[in-house]
Amino acid sequence: MGKPKIYITRKIPEHLLSPFNDRYEINMWKDEKTPIPEEILFERVKEADGLLCLLTEKIDRKFIEHASHLKIIANMAVGYDNIDVAAAKNKKIIVTNTPDVLTETTADLTFALLMATARRLIEATNTIYHDEWGDWSPFMLAGTDIHHKTIGIVGMGRIGEAVARRAKGFQMNVLYHNRTRNIHAERQLQATYVSFDKLLEESDFVVSLVPLTEETTNLFNQNAFQKMKESGIFINVSRGGVVDEDALTEALKQKTIRAAGLDVFKNEPINSAQPLTKLKNAVLLPHIGSASVTTRENMLTLCLENIDLVFQGKTAKTPVY
Ligand code: NAP
Ligand code: GLV
């Protein structure tokens, strides 16, 4: 029997592959920046025993039925809403994700985005680049305080807790909402469990860190934004699909909420045609939550380790089911 065939949907650094090269026949897409076209991926995955894919790939039922040799799909992300897990399970294909290794890096970015939005950092920088820095004045670019304010975290899981730890350093009051109570966060971080509505009503910062599921699709809709304080700031680092972007755009335009910081969007990548880009009170990032070199390398290594374990007949480190 030949070596198991692994397909990787983006060009990744050789030094990460070298520990595995002897045992596997590894092929990958030639480009680091551009996703593999769907029809080419379909062709390449036909004979593959293992797949390392990114969140840009839609691994649906049709794909899974077509890729009949697959034993493992290792997703380079903690979120796995791009994969039809039920269809994979049905075919006894293991699906793995990359929890923990990206938690602190994503929490850093979440807090950076919260601070940039509250203190209007992008707007401020742009006054220099666009020669608009007039004389200093009392309320020039005055923003919102962060310290001692209330942060409401929707999705108090791994990243939610790491954000709450950062918030404690700013003497913030921490509220959270999950489907089940997180006793660890309550004891260690003095986080208070509240209903979704109460969180919206009482938080100065509403932070979304929930996975995208049927239940959370458009969770942050017109109704939710109406419940937020007029001075409230909305931060989303989970998935664009949890937000009704039209309702958010309207809330920002009408100033029924003060500002929003978004790392994720319904249809990525967005460009300057996206109505949110026209708003000064929106800070937009191109899905860079886990983007530090070390963390991205750790995520890829974890994917490769999961694949390796499965082909050794062992349990993957981070299976999603
Ligand atoms: P996690 O540990 O599983 O935390 C998710 C939390 O969401 C859990 O506490 C869960 O609690 C809660 N939750 C799930 N469904 C819910 C619902 N219907 N209503 C309320 N709360 C709900 O996951 P994580 O590692 O923190 O990652 C969270 C998400 O962040 C990922 O799924 C991914 O989409 C996103 N992410 C984005 C980036 C980025 O680059 N922007 C990077 C990493 C992760 P219950 O089960 O008790 O409800
Ligand atoms: C990134 O968005 C992830 O889910 O890891």
Side-chain angles (χ1 to χ4, degrees):
M1 221 173 68
K3 295 176 187 175
K5 297 185 175 72
I6 310 301
Y7 195 74
I8 304 178
T9 61
R10 206 66 68 86
K11 188 172 186 327
I12 69 172
E14 270 306 322
H15 73 274
L16 299 178
L17 290 176
S18 53
F20 305 93
N21 268 335
D22 285 354
R23 298 197 291 285
Y24 301 98
E25 183 185 323
I26 301 178
N27 286 296
M28 61 185 170
W29 178 234
K30 56 182 172 12
D31 200 330
E32 189 203 321
K33 295 204 172 127
T34 326
I36 181 167
E38 214 178 286
E39 60 288 359
I40 300 181
L41 177 57
F42 247 65
E43 180 53 38
R44 303 279 159 88
V45 84
K46 217 167 154 187
E47 303 298 322
D49 301 300
L51 177 72
L52 192 168
C53 63
L54 311 191
L55 50 75
T56 43
E57 273 87 50
K58 192 165 183 264
I59 311 294
D60 58 13
R61 187 173 291 277
K62 185 173 149 212
F63 181 99
I64 285 165
E65 277 165 12
H66 165 82
S68 57
H69 293 259
L70 283 184
K71 296 194 175 41
I72 173 165
I73 299 169
N75 201 38
M76 189 210 170
V78 66
Y80 48 86
D81 49 279
N82 56 318
I83 299 176
D84 186 336
V85 174
K89 196 173 175 183
N90 194 35
K91 290 270 174 195
K92 299 196 169 49
I93 301 171
I94 312 283
V95 178
T96 63
N97 64 345
T98 59
D100 302 316
V101 292
L102 50 58
T103 295
E104 300 297 333
T105 302
T106 308
D108 283 348
L109 188 280
T110 307
F111 222 80
L113 180 57
L114 182 153
M115 294 183 77
T117 310
R119 295 298 303 272
R120 304 169 61 183
L121 295 194
I122 309 304
E123 231 185 306
T125 300
N126 281 339
T127 63
I128 297 175
Y129 291 138
H130 300 157
D131 292 322
E132 289 167 353
W133 182 7
D135 289 327
W136 193 94
S137 60
F139 293 100
M140 181 183 88
L141 289 161
T144 304
D145 277 329
I146 297 156
H147 64 89
H148 297 95
K149 292 288 177 112
T150 295
I151 183 171
I153 298 175
V154 183
M156 181 67 94
R158 289 170 291 244
I159 303 170
E161 280 197 28
V163 169
R165 277 199 299 281
R166 285 154 179 76
K168 294 309 282 184
F170 283 72
Q171 288 82 41
M172 295 178 93
N173 172 36
V174 180
L175 306 179
Y176 81 96
H177 180 72
N178 272 1
R179 289 167 305 176
T180 50
R181 284 178 67 160
N182 180 336
I183 303 304
H184 181 262
E186 292 182 22
R187 294 212 178 119
Q188 300 296 314
L189 302 163
Q190 295 78 49
T192 306
Y193 180 81
V194 289
S195 68
F196 183 57
D197 283 358
K198 196 166 158 116
L199 183 146
L200 296 170
E201 284 158 15
E202 297 196 354
S203 302
D204 299 302
F205 297 91
V206 172
V207 179
S208 166
L209 284 163
V210 276
L212 177 62
T213 62
E214 266 178 39
E215 233 179 333
T216 61
T217 299
N218 289 333
L219 179 65
F220 297 94
N221 53 20
Q222 187 189 26
N223 200 13
F225 294 123
Q226 272 165 359
K227 291 196 170 112
M228 281 178 63
K229 295 180 181 183
E230 245 180 62
S231 57
I233 291 180
F234 176 69
I235 304 293
N236 185 15
V237 183
S238 67
R239 284 289 182 271
V242 307
V243 179
D244 175 341
E245 285 173 352
D246 292 340
L248 174 60
T249 306
E250 207 47 33
L252 291 168
K253 264 191 196 159
Q254 301 305 327
K255 301 210 165 55
T256 60
I257 67 169
R258 183 166 290 167
L262 310 172
D263 183 44
V264 284
F265 302 88
K266 208 158 246 165
N267 296 307
E268 297 178 358
I270 61 160
N271 58 30
S272 61
Q274 215 306 342
L276 285 161
T277 64
K278 311 294 179 236
L279 304 174
K280 276 195 170 170
N281 54 349
V283 174
L284 313 179
L285 298 177
H287 202 146
I288 55 166
S290 63
S292 74
V293 174
T294 304
T295 291
R296 288 289 163 85
E297 289 195 347
N298 290 341
M299 290 163 73
L300 284 166
T301 299
L302 178 56
C303 291
L304 292 163
E305 286 171 352
N306 275 324
I307 291 172
D308 194 32
L309 285 166
V310 166
F311 285 107
Q312 286 179 50
K314 297 182 183 160
T315 307
K317 275 189 180 171
T318 52
V320 306
Y321 68 84

